[in-house]
Structure formats: structure tokens, C-alpha cells
Amino acid sequence: MSVAPRPAATRRNVLAASGAAAVSIAFTGAFTELFAGSSAARGHSGYGPLVPDPDGLLDLPQGFRYRVLSREGDALRSGEGRVPSHCDGMAAFKARGGHVRLVRNHENRVDAAIPVPTVEGLTYDPMGKGGCTALELDGNNRVLTERVAIAGTAVNCAGGRTPWGTWLTCEETEDRAGTNGYTKDHGYVFEVDGADPRRTGAVPLTAMGRFQHEAVAIDPHNGTVYETEDAFEKPFGLFYRFLPKKPLGGTGSLRAGGRLEAMRVPGVPDLSAVQETGTAFEGVEWVPVPDPQAAETPIRFQDFGPGGITHGQKLEGCYWGGSCVYFVSSFAHRDEGSAADHYGQVWRYDPARRRLTLVIVFGPDTDLQLPGESPDNITLAPDGGLMVCEDGGGAQHVFGLTRRGEVYPMARGRQNTGTPEEPEWGEFAGVTFAPDYGTMYVNVYTPGTTFAVTGPWR
């Protein structure tokens, strides 16, 4: 979960009131780059208007249905305690017997209503309230098991899958031991094996840096790990790469260490200043991080020498497609310190050419706006397009984006009580698909709920 951007264009409220009917947006040709490496589907205009759910939980298009897999506060099937609060980033993995395994983050701070239960051998810091849970589902999306996969971490926001089938969960905090009651430093990435959590335990991958992590993506060809940083205040986050000593070495190999570097785009100190889609920068540089552990100074404040380093506000989603890595800046505001305003950027980095390209930018001074607000979690969809969790206020949606540049609603969440414990609308997070693309899994952040959505996926 993240800080909400400013309200978007007025038409956003009109769309929400009308059921968020599909909207066509004239994207530039660069839009097709979003889907590099995905399936070759032709794209379509969506699945029709959202149908109000009589149970008031999840509105979906006609023909689609949902199953509630897990709810905050219910008993974990393992008997370890209750389902924790704040369901966030998530991934789906193939399991034996046609089953699916979900590994789910819980972005809990110290004041979380329901912490991830501490389990011997799986707990990093007993005072940390975050972590991950793992669910195993049968072929009909019935929950067979649900248990703690890692505990004692903090603010587990997003992460990314590894080529060998584990999950990298990321702490979006820089709190040190002695802060907020923590007994250990936080701000790390942890590897989680959802099939057998004790194989990975609760070991921080310290060489990957200590900062406000958001998401990761791994180059499946050489094992380079790309990392986004969602820092809340200026100077904003950096885009990193980690060069492991044992690339693609399997479970546990990232513990062997490696080198952490930050991206420098010569002449571009702030990514928000770039406003024209298709703008490309050659000769991107990677600068060694002086102190990856941030023992005295947070990484983004450190001295990277002549030329400085390149920052970006709200660096969040990150995924690998084809031969490139894509990452998202959810929004930028001048009055918060950014060089320019936008409601979302998607960037593409081509390692072979050392080229960074602005694939798309959303509003406020363009017509390229989601019907909702800023893009956050992104995943490839069955038709070769994308599913996007919006990040903002008001009614919350999962939107589909087609290869033709059309935006359509896929899901809308229920309206909550509006109390501090249960905000008016629960943000979507962790959208992911089963290995056979027959089911979309998605979380509502508050109150924490995990859904399985099935239907006539194209």
C-alpha cells in the first residue's frame, strides 16, 4: 500500500458512478512495448460493464465469479494463529497434482491489528509484525492449506518471483534496531519458499541493499536482479540492479552476495522531468552503491560522485518482459519535490543496449489517463495485455489494458465503513494469475481479503 496521489480528472468520478464502463484511450505506438514478451493475443475491448455484487464484495463483468479464499482475522488452517492484516504483493506458483500455491505479503507496521504469527525457525525479528503466508489450492480453488511462510519482518509491500520458483518479499522501510521497538535492522529482501518455508527460513539478503524496497524482477538469462525503491520523501527512490555472485543458482543462492549498483541516466537527475513517450536515453550507467547497508546514511542520500544519481518518485511495480525490464513510477508531484507532475510512468530498460525508454506517461497534462488513478501493481493477463491495480482514493478497481491501448474495468471492490481501521475503499494489490491463466488472484488490502476470479478469460 502507498500514499494516495491527488484526485485525477473529473471524468474519473463520472466513470465510477456509471459502473466504470470500458474507455478507449489513444495511446502512442510506444504503448505496445508494454507487452513485449507476453502472449501474442490480439487484444480486445474488455468483458463488458461491471455487475454489482449482491453480497457487496466484488463487482465483476457478466460471466465471471469469485471465491473468497482468505479473510483477515479468520483462523489459519495451520493452527498458527489468525490470517494477518494488510494483504499486499502476491505470486502464484504451480504445485503438484494440478494445485496452485499462493505466497502473499502482509504489509504490517508495528501498529497492525493482526500481526503475522511468530513461528520458530521462520521469524526474523520477534517485534516485526509483517511477513508472508502461503496457501495451497486444489484445481477448484479450494484452500487445502494456509500457513506462515515467514514472520518477524516489517512492511512487506511487494516483491517478485525467482526463475526457480521462490518468492522475494521486500520490506518497504528503513527502520533500524531500536526504532519502533524493533530488535533488528529492517529494509531488506527475504527469499520465501512457499512449498517448504523452512528451506529458506528468515534470512535477510543483505547484499541486495537496505532501503525502502518495493518490487524486484530477475533477468532469466543472466540472473541480474532489478529493484525499485519507493521512498516517500525527497530525494526519492532509485532504480537498482544486483549482480549476484551465484546467478540463477537456485534456492538460497542469493545469500552468497553480490554487487549492488544504482542507475544513473546522464543529465537526468529526476525521471519525472521526462514527459514525452518514446523518449530514449542511451548509455545508461550503473554506479556502485557506496554503502549498501546504509549504516550511517540512506542509500539515496549517499555520494555517488560527479554526475550524481537518478531519482524517481513512487518507484513501484517491476516486471521482466522479453529481453527488457519494466518499472513503474506511480505518480509525481512538483509540490512534493518532483521536477514535474504525472499520474504514472512506465519505463523500459534494455540491458543489451543500455537504453532507457519512457514507454508511457499518464496525465495530468495528457489524454493518457487511467479511468481511475495511478498504476501500481501490474501483471501480464491471459490475452497478452496487462492487469493494473490502481493506487488512489475513491472507488478502487483492477483495470485491464489491451494491446490496442484500451482500458476496461475488471473488478471493483466493496465500499467499507470509512473508519481508520477500515478505510472507505480497500485498495487492490497483488494481482497475479494461475500458471494456466484460468484464474486471477487478487488481494484487497483492508480488510485483508484474497479472491480467486474465474470466468471466460480470453
Side-chain angles (χ1 to χ4, degrees):
M1 186 180 182
S2 49
V3 178
R6 307 297 170 79
T10 304
R11 67 174 181 157
R12 182 205 192 292
N13 299 322
V14 174
L15 286 163
S18 64
V23 176
S24 178
I25 296 177
F27 289 95
T28 68
F31 182 84
T32 58
E33 293 186 32
L34 282 169
F35 311 112
S38 64
S39 62
R42 301 296 180 189
H44 57 86
S45 57
Y47 296 98
L50 300 179
V51 179
D53 174 20
D55 293 326
L57 290 181
L58 195 65
D59 302 338
L60 299 169
Q62 184 70 39
F64 285 85
R65 56 197 177 277
Y66 68 82
R67 178 191 292 268
V68 175
L69 302 178
S70 178
R71 280 194 175 113
E72 177 180 340
D74 287 352
L76 289 166
R77 292 179 179 243
S78 62
E80 295 163 321
R82 294 189 291 164
V83 176
S85 303
H86 300 145
C87 301
D88 209 302
M90 184 168 66
F93 301 89
K94 184 178 181 180
R96 292 181 181 179
H99 295 176
V100 173
R101 183 172 296 108
L102 297 177
V103 182
R104 175 183 61 190
N105 280 359
H106 296 276
E107 194 189 32
N108 285 342
R109 293 172 169 81
V110 292
D111 59 353
I114 306 177
V116 177
T118 57
V119 175
E120 186 177 356
L122 298 179
T123 301
Y124 170 63
D125 176 354
M127 298 307 295
K129 308 300 184 184
C132 297
T133 48
L135 296 78
E136 184 162 338
L137 315 174
D138 69 11
N140 294 312
N141 287 314
R142 290 182 296 233
V143 179
L144 302 176
T145 63
E146 185 178 25
R147 60 181 175 178
V148 173
I150 190 172
T153 53
V155 199
N156 297 69
C157 189
R161 64 174 64 239
T162 68
W164 48 88
T166 59
W167 170 248
L168 299 179
T169 183
C170 296
E171 293 187 307
E172 192 183 25
T173 180
E174 294 173 320
D175 282 350
R176 303 291 300 270
T179 302
N180 289 321
Y182 293 130
T183 64
K184 294 184 179 180
D185 290 349
H186 291 269
Y188 293 117
V189 177
F190 294 77
E191 185 175 14
V192 178
D193 185 340
D196 183 3
R198 295 190 180 277
R199 290 184 65 205
T200 43
V203 181
L205 303 176
T206 55
M208 293 178 68
R210 197 182 71 80
F211 55 87
Q212 291 176 216
H213 286 273
E214 177 72 25
V216 300
I218 297 181
D219 182 338
H221 308 294
N222 63 20
T224 299
V225 184
Y226 293 91
E227 311 176 53
T228 54
E229 180 180 19
D230 185 8
F232 306 138
E233 298 177 349
K234 190 176 180 180
F236 297 117
L238 310 181
F239 186 55
Y240 300 87
R241 74 175 183 185
F242 175 67
L243 304 175
K245 291 181 180 178
K246 293 184 177 180
L248 302 175
T251 304
S253 61
L254 294 174
R255 296 184 192 179
R259 185 169 75 253
L260 183 67
E261 300 175 332
M263 182 184 72
R264 174 193 287 156
V265 183
V268 184
D270 186 338
L271 292 174
S272 72
V274 186
Q275 294 282 303
E276 186 173 347
T277 56
T279 301
F281 300 93
E282 309 289 341
V284 169
E285 301 171 358
W286 292 95
V287 185
V289 171
D291 176 18
Q293 300 308 304
E296 300 293 336
T297 305
I299 292 174
R300 63 188 184 279
F301 287 93
Q302 293 177 19
D303 183 3
F304 286 89
I309 206 68
T310 300
H311 298 262
Q313 189 172 3
K314 296 301 297 173
L315 299 185
E316 300 210 53
C318 187
Y319 70 96
W320 184 268
S323 60
C324 300
V325 63
Y326 295 78
F327 64 96
V328 173
S329 169
S330 284
F331 63 82
H333 299 144
R334 283 190 180 94
D335 60 5
E336 293 175 355
S338 284
D341 297 314
H342 65 72
Y343 287 151
Q345 294 176 326
V346 181
W347 290 90
R348 168 181 178 262
Y349 176 66
D350 183 341
R353 295 176 175 81
R354 293 172 54 207
R355 177 189 297 159
L356 182 71
T357 304
L358 179 59
V359 176
I360 195 165
V361 59
F362 299 92
D365 296 324
T366 78
D367 289 331
L368 310 182
Q369 298 185 40
L370 289 176
E373 295 186 0
S374 305
D376 193 339
N377 290 174
I378 288 180
T379 193
L380 295 173
D383 65 355
L386 296 178
M387 288 294 169
V388 180
C389 295
E390 65 171 317
D391 180 6
Q396 295 294 289
H397 295 82
V398 176
F399 286 111
L401 281 75
T402 76
R403 286 173 173 267
R404 293 199 302 249
E406 293 174 317
V407 180
Y408 62 91
M410 191 63 235
R412 179 177 52 220
R414 74 172 185 178
Q415 189 166 11
N416 296 328
T417 61
T419 63
E421 295 76 20
E422 194 174 278
E424 184 178 9
W425 296 94
E427 174 188 341
F428 284 107
V431 62
T432 187
F433 279 87
D436 66 359
Y437 281 93
T439 303
M440 181 179 80
Y441 303 102
V442 67
N443 293 322
V444 168
Y445 185 84
T446 303
T449 309
T450 301
F451 295 94
V453 177
T454 55
W457 296 110
R458 296 185 180 95

